[in-house]
Amino acid sequence: MNDERRRPRAWPRVTMKDVAREANVSDATVSRVLDGASTVSAEARSAVMEAVRRTGYIRNGAASQLAGSRSDVLGLLIRDVANPYYGLMHSELQRGVADRGLRLLTVSPTFTQDFHEEVIGLDHLLEQRVRGLLIATGTLPLERAAAFAAFVPMVVLGRPTDLGDVHSIAYDERANGHLAADEVLARGHRDVAVVATASEASFVENARSEAMIERLGAGGARPVPVPRDAQTPMSAVIAGIVALTREKRVTAAMFPSDGSLLAFLEAVQHSDLRVPDDLSVTGVDGVLPGISLLGLSTVRLPVEGISARGVEVMAAQLDGTGDDDPVREVLPATFLAGRTLVPVDRRATP
């Protein structure tokens, strides 16, 4: 096979007029078929779709939106949906948007990509002239997005903000960190390792871990920060916590996400380090399927409530019924006791 045949063919430059001519119908009929209108006959619909197949026509969505007075497409910039937290939020947002007769165009950089990829994703959504923008990511500098809030309604999900006309339905991550720390303190732990995430790695996890350290110190404990920045692999963090445990310098470890907590549990499952006998552990998120069976002790974030309220605020902005002032709301979390956090006096003795 020669090189030419290996190369994918370029999309043909076909217009709606070409499709109409091929199907022997009007341009308006082609537009109605592609819009999914029910007023088109079965024969015309079949002819148009066959013409689309033959010509390879793809409608220019951005141009269609510019030509019309309204768009039904909302943009969503969301962190890696392989993460169960973001996966659940994505599902909830899709359902809420569809229930209102709208559509969702999603860009989701992976966790291996830094905030520069999120900025590129933001630009891509704006270029599509989306009617509204939902932002659910812990690393995008919100100042970059806020510059466009005067042109497109914007709701940030999970992070508080006071920037311009940007709406936010958020968690109180400091309160979440305090909530987890209070549970650890209540069980008598005073020497506690805390995965201290840098802000450039995650604004959200940074706020949680700083709040954990603050609350532990205020409660008379001795927190031991285990730093993690964007370049530090989780394996190095895990090794640090294992060393602290073996040296009997800590009796508990706090993780700012369930993902990092699970990575730790997986890494030590075949070692002689036992959870919670040798080390109690806690996380934050609480959205994993079957989490009650896993028995994780974690802060459960109200993902469903954040998603539903975010779509509600966006819909109100689109139909003109929303408040003139930006909506700034915070939803509380709860703690799932689980089995990975036990009182110090219940730990096994050597």
Side-chain angles (χ1 to χ4, degrees), residues 191 193 238-253 264 267-275 277-279 347 350:
D191 297 293
I238 292 170
I241 295 174
V242 168
L244 290 170
T245 306
R246 296 197 186 287
E247 295 165 8
K248 300 190 182 303
R249 292 175 55 192
V250 298
T251 61
F264 176 82
V268 303
Q269 65 177 325
H270 299 304
S271 72
D272 60 353
L273 192 156
R274 296 165 297 172
V275 173
D277 293 337
D278 299 320
L279 185 74
R347 295 169 67 240

Side-chain angles (χ1 to χ4, degrees), residues 204-236:
V204 169
E205 292 190 20
N206 172 259
R208 293 173 185 170
S209 57
E210 286 191 348
M212 291 171 184
I213 293 169
E214 173 189 74
R215 191 66 148 220
L216 289 170
R222 295 169 290 277
V224 182
V226 182
R228 186 187 185 192
D229 59 24
Q231 287 73 47
T232 304
M234 191 61 201
S235 58

